[in-house]
């Protein structure tokens, strides 16, 4: 995630519940994400936090996404204009679809087993693997 911040790119990714964050602006020590207190407006609009061992003054927005009574996910983004839980759920859904695509490509087509060394040969292998995946999906 750190490489995206310096380039000005936006990201949306899950955060483990034991990850240390600070919501107090340095007034209190870092605490785990799962121990944060949430009020009703923060549950809808997210919290601005700093993640432990991130570059100095890098603020991100944290959202708490309850899936069931037993499972709660925490999603973090550097898009500070993101202000709704529904918007972050949609972005997270797109991210999950992309992860599924990559997993299926690796399992079905053998895209990771390329032994080519030349750039052109690697691109050809990737293109053929993607075409195979598209044929399987249709």
């Amino acid at each position: 995630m750190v490489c995206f911040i310096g380039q000005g790119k936006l990201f949306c990714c899950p955060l483990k519940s034991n990850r240390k964050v600070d919501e107090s602006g340095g007034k209190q020590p870092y605490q785990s994400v799962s121990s944060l207190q949430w009020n009703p407006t923060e549950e809808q609009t997210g919290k601005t936090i700093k993640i432990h061992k991130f570059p100095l003054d890098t603020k991100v927005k944290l959202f708490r996404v309850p899936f069931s009574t037993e499972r709660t996910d925490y999603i973090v983004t550097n898009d500070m204009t993101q202000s709704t839980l529904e918007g972050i759920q949609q972005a997270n859904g797109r991210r999950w679809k992309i992860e599924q695509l990559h997993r299926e490509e690796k399992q079905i087509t053998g895209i990771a087993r390329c032994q080519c060394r030349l750039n052109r040969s690697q691109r050809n292998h990737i293109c053929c693997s993607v075409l195979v995946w598209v044929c399987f999906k249709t």
Side-chain angles (χ1 to χ4, degrees):
M1 283 188 283
V2 177
C3 63
F4 288 109
I5 294 169
Q7 296 176 358
K9 299 192 185 242
L10 299 178
F11 64 85
C12 172
C13 64
L15 204 63
K16 290 188 176 184
S17 61
N18 64 347
R19 187 72 192 253
K20 301 286 186 187
V21 298
D22 177 30
E23 66 174 336
S24 68
K27 296 174 185 152
Q28 296 176 352
Y30 287 97
Q31 58 185 343
S32 66
V33 173
S34 60
S35 66
L36 292 175
Q37 300 297 318
W38 294 80
N39 63 39
T41 57
E42 289 175 337
E43 287 186 6
Q44 290 300 316
T45 60
K47 284 184 179 227
T48 302
I49 61 161
K50 181 180 180 331
I51 301 174
H52 185 55
K53 295 192 177 177
F54 250 47
L56 189 63
D57 297 331
T58 302
K59 301 286 185 181
V60 293
K61 203 152 201 187
L62 175 71
F63 289 88
R64 183 172 166 242
V65 183
F67 281 101
S68 65
T69 55
E70 295 88 27
R71 180 176 163 212
T72 300
D73 283 356
Y74 299 96
I75 309 296
V76 68
T77 182
N78 65 339
D79 183 7
M80 300 308 268
T81 63
Q82 188 65 262
S83 62
T84 64
L85 184 60
E86 291 80 21
I88 204 70
Q89 285 175 321
Q90 288 176 352
N92 193 42
R94 286 191 300 271
R95 181 194 61 81
W96 180 246
K97 291 285 186 191
I98 293 168
E99 283 188 24
Q100 283 180 319
L101 169 117
H102 289 296
R103 181 177 42 90
E104 287 177 3
E105 266 187 338
K106 285 167 59 176
Q107 289 176 349
I108 294 172
T109 66
I111 196 168
R113 291 189 289 272
C114 177
Q115 295 182 1
C116 302
R117 297 290 177 240
L118 298 175
N119 287 339
R120 180 70 182 180
S121 300
Q122 289 176 351
R123 286 193 304 267
N124 286 343
H125 178 76
I126 291 169
C127 181
C128 290
S129 296
V130 169
L131 288 173
V132 167
W133 181 83
V134 169
C135 288
F136 277 137
K137 288 305 267 189
T138 56

